[in-house]
Amino acid sequence: MEAAMASIGEFDPLNSSVPATKIEITVSLVVLYVQGIGTKEWREFGRTEVIDNTLNPDFVRKFVLDYFFEEKQNLRFDVYNVDSRSSNISKHSFLGQTFCTLGEIIGSSGSRLERVLSGIPGKKCGNIIFTAEELSNCRDIATMQLCANKLDKKDFFGKSDPFLVFYRSNEDGTFTICHKTEVIKNTLNPVWQPFTIPVRALCNGDYDRTVKVDVYDWDRDGSHDFIGEFTTSYRELSRGQSQFNVYEVLNPKKKGRKKKYVNSGTVTLLSFKVESEYTFVDFIRGNPSQPTSLHYMNPYQLNAYAMALKAVGEIIQDYDSDKLFPAYGFGAKLPPDGKISHAFPLNSDCENANCVGIEGVLEAYYDCLRKVQLYGPTNFAPVINQVAQCASEVTDGSQYFVLLIITDGVISDMVQTREAVVTAASLPMSVIIVGVGPAEFDAMEELDGDEVRVSSRGRVAERDIVQFVPFRDYIDRSGNQVLSMARLAKDVLAEIPDQLLSFMKSRGIEPRPALCPSPTPQINVHL
């Protein structure tokens, strides 16, 4: 389980009926609904703040969701025009909605997903943009207070009505809004109230990550005037009140126009303190191994992954002459820098991923569990493409490749996986997928082309090369693991002979004579 933070970055109405003249619009509220796995009912999870007088709101309030990469977590976002102070959503004007899964947001490029809003027939409702970021384990809470001095005067009949907007920098160089202060009316020397913010919201646990602060003059119509900006970091702020935490507010446009421009005022940190937020788990945690995990290493019996691996591997290894099995993991953060990988060798040897025998694979699997942090999304395409590359180098019938994938997750890169399967179908290889755990495996059934061949971008798979089975269908009710493994192996391996024959026949490859000194076709197993 990983915590993910989904934030609505922008809502952009595209309705051409909006007049070009300036009008006041009291907009925008987004309501998030999540769908129950069992009941399929939608329940409200949370609402953003209301942002007035803009067609392109950038919301501060985030939705913090528990992310389970083995589950399909359906989300619905409804956008409303707020017509009153009523909390009853039916009292407000519906502007559009969109549906997606949490996995789609996290699995999108840069974890940024843009969707078209719909729901009003014949009307363009606009676009909505989602961004997601894994929350660090940092649970510190920062409380700070700031003041400003000699800010630029922006109001014709008064001074300025200043407020601050804090932005956290993202890994792709963009910024995400994370806090707004209150507005202080008619002053160039405001003192803002102390505010509290989770450290992970400010910098996601990276103390040196850039924090950008914009200073604005508030306007009733929503067209707030930009006064200037400055940058800092959590590490700098944590020094507290000092000469290092007095910041010049700079306006790049004014600096470019005026040779004698110095600054647009200063902002000073008055106080800063950090407190740790403890949870119930902190007080009861003793053993890092969780019995509820499908990877739980029980000293008395095999877990579901090990059972599936042993059941299939011990039979198919008889057809692999050297008993060397390349074994890969996918969906984990690797030491030492926490880089996410979807195809990494279980033995940690990037030059040689081979394990000696199925026992060697199991040993590498158990050792790997102690070193890596399991992490979604569940991407199949990288490991399928990796084995396909090996298979493409030996197409003379002397070798046949079998890829065994054991997973507890819903496929996050279905489009890429379909493309990978279609490409692999023309190569000497088969793919066995064993689903473990209680997840919904509908997408896996789609890849198993017994009835309808897998297709991608107009191409249809040359052969059916995928066999999928959910392991839960084979578990013996009496707890007999040997019987469960035997049942599983029988079904998942049943199609391999026909799949091998279909490739040989399609390429016109004939068996070598029995007395020929050349070796018979070798089956290479990739796990």
Side-chain angles (χ1 to χ4, degrees):
M1 181 184 75
E2 302 292 345
M5 179 165 60
S7 64
I8 294 106
E10 180 181 0
F11 159 58
D12 181 17
L14 299 177
N15 185 359
S16 59
S17 64
V18 175
T21 55
K22 187 175 181 180
I23 58 174
E24 283 200 3
I25 309 172
T26 304
V27 199
S28 297
L29 168 73
V30 178
V31 184
L32 167 62
Y33 296 87
V34 297
Q35 189 177 48
I37 294 178
T39 64
K40 299 297 182 181
E41 293 181 356
W42 292 102
R43 64 176 181 83
E44 183 177 327
F45 182 87
R47 303 181 183 188
T48 65
E49 75 277 19
V50 175
I51 296 184
D52 297 336
N53 301 320
T54 178
L55 294 175
N56 300 285
D58 192 357
F59 297 97
V60 175
R61 189 171 299 161
K62 309 297 187 294
F63 300 122
V64 179
L65 302 164
D66 288 330
Y67 170 51
F68 302 91
F69 66 86
E70 70 274 16
E71 294 181 6
K72 185 177 183 180
Q73 295 172 267
N74 293 319
L75 308 177
R76 187 183 99 208
F77 297 87
D78 291 359
V79 182
Y80 289 89
N81 184 69
V82 178
D83 299 321
S84 69
R85 294 184 178 181
S86 174
S87 60
N88 185 344
I89 204 66
S90 65
K91 302 294 184 181
H92 306 293
S93 302
F94 177 70
L95 295 179
Q97 67 181 184
T98 192
F99 299 83
C100 66
T101 67
L102 183 55
E104 283 182 287
I105 300 174
I106 294 173
S108 298
S109 177
S111 294
R112 181 183 185 276
L113 178 67
E114 182 170 356
R115 281 292 173 86
V116 175
L117 292 169
S118 60
I120 303 178
K123 183 177 180 180
K124 292 181 178 180
C125 299
N127 290 4
I128 188 167
I129 299 171
F130 308 103
T131 59
E133 185 175 40
E134 181 194 10
L135 295 179
S136 74
N137 291 327
C138 175
R139 292 194 298 274
D140 290 344
I141 303 293
T143 301
M144 68 183 86
Q145 183 178 21
L146 300 101
C147 69
N149 188 44
K150 296 182 179 178
L151 296 177
D152 286 350
K153 178 179 179 298
K154 290 291 185 177
D155 293 341
F156 186 77
F157 293 109
K159 296 179 181 179
S160 287
D161 304 321
F163 68 97
L164 303 177
V165 182
F166 286 73
Y167 300 87
R168 177 187 67 252
S169 63
N170 302 314
E171 294 180 2
D172 61 358
T174 60
F175 288 88
T176 298
I177 188 171
C178 58
H179 182 74
K180 285 182 183 179
T181 68
E182 78 280 14
V183 176
I184 306 295
K185 293 292 190 69
N186 197 31
T187 179
L188 302 181
N189 303 291
V191 178
W192 289 281
Q193 291 292 320
F195 66 89
T196 298
I197 183 172
V199 171
R200 65 188 185 189
L202 188 65
C203 65
N204 204 23
D206 180 355
Y207 294 171
D208 296 308
R209 182 180 291 204
T210 299
V211 175
K212 185 167 76 80
V213 183
D214 287 351
V215 185
Y216 284 96
D217 167 49
W218 178 85
D219 287 332
R220 185 180 300 276
D221 63 2
S223 59
H224 310 305
D225 299 317
F226 179 70
I227 295 176
E229 63 184 8
F230 64 90
T231 60
T232 182
S233 68
Y234 173 83
R235 193 178 300 279
E236 290 182 6
L237 292 169
S238 64
R239 295 180 179 181
Q241 186 179 25
S242 69
Q243 60 180 348
F244 301 105
N245 279 318
V246 178
Y247 302 95
E248 283 192 299
V249 177
L250 300 177
N251 187 317
K253 289 185 178 180
K254 290 186 69 173
K255 187 176 182 180
R257 292 197 308 262
K258 296 182 179 181
K259 292 182 179 180
K260 295 184 179 181
Y261 176 81
V262 178
N263 58 49
S264 295
T266 60
V267 170
T268 301
L269 179 68
L270 294 178
S271 64
F272 187 92
K273 69 174 182 178
V274 179
E275 297 175 319
S276 294
E277 185 180 59
Y278 297 110
T279 67
F280 174 72
V281 176
D282 291 322
F283 293 98
I284 66 169
R285 179 182 289 136
N287 185 352
S289 300
Q290 300 296 323
T292 56
S293 171
L294 293 167
H295 291 280
Y296 177 58
M297 292 184 286
N298 190 320
Y300 303 107
Q301 63 181 15
L302 299 174
N303 65 30
Y305 277 84
M307 285 176 62
L309 178 60
K310 195 173 178 69
V312 178
E314 287 193 340
I315 291 178
I316 206 167
Q317 71 175 345
D318 291 342
Y319 302 91
D320 191 311
S321 60
D322 61 11
K323 303 296 186 288
L324 295 177
F325 303 115
Y328 299 91
F330 59 97
K333 285 186 173 182
L334 308 184
D337 55 0
K339 183 179 180 181
I340 301 168
S341 175
H342 297 290
F344 57 91
L346 291 185
N347 63 5
S348 302
D349 187 345
C350 295
E351 300 298 324
N352 182 8
N354 287 329
C355 300
V356 181
I358 294 303
E359 290 303 320
V361 176
L362 284 169
E363 183 180 341
Y365 163 63
Y366 289 133
D367 185 59
C368 186
L369 281 179
R370 301 182 183 97
K371 298 177 180 177
V372 305
Q373 177 188 349
L374 302 178
Y375 190 84
T378 304
N379 292 345
F380 278 17
V383 72
I384 295 176
N385 289 332
Q386 185 154 335
V387 176
Q389 177 61 37
C390 297
S392 67
E393 297 172 359
V394 190
T395 58
D396 61 356
S398 62
Q399 296 188 44
Y400 193 84
F401 296 77
V402 177
L403 171 61
L404 169 62
I405 298 177
I406 306 172
T407 180
D408 61 2
V410 176
I411 299 178
S412 303
D413 63 338
M414 191 61 182
V415 174
Q416 294 86 346
T417 297
R418 280 199 300 264
E419 178 72 13
V421 169
V422 170
T423 300
S426 63
L427 300 171
M429 67 177 286
S430 294
V431 181
I432 298 172
I433 303 174
V434 178
V436 297
E440 295 180 11
F441 293 117
D442 295 348
M444 311 292 189
E445 300 283 2
E446 181 183 338
L447 295 177
D448 191 336
D450 288 340
E451 297 180 4
V452 179
R453 290 276 177 86
V454 178
S455 63
S456 174
R457 298 193 295 182
R459 294 193 303 148
V460 178
E462 184 178 314
R463 301 180 297 127
D464 170 25
I465 65 167
V466 178
Q467 169 75 341
F468 166 74
V469 294
F471 190 33
R472 57 176 174 250
D473 291 353
Y474 298 86
I475 296 177
D476 182 68
R477 292 182 179 180
S478 67
N480 187 328
Q481 287 194 347
V482 175
L483 186 57
S484 299
M485 292 161 62
R487 290 172 176 170
L488 174 70
K490 181 180 178 181
D491 270 14
V492 299
L493 296 174
E495 294 185 10
I496 296 296
D498 285 342
Q499 290 174 357
L500 184 148
L501 289 173
S502 70
F503 175 80
M504 300 300 180
K505 185 177 180 180
S506 68
R507 297 298 184 273
I509 299 172
E510 297 181 357
R512 294 185 175 91
L515 298 178
C516 179
S518 300
T520 55
Q522 173 181 316
I523 295 180
N524 290 308
V525 183
H526 289 243
L527 304 166

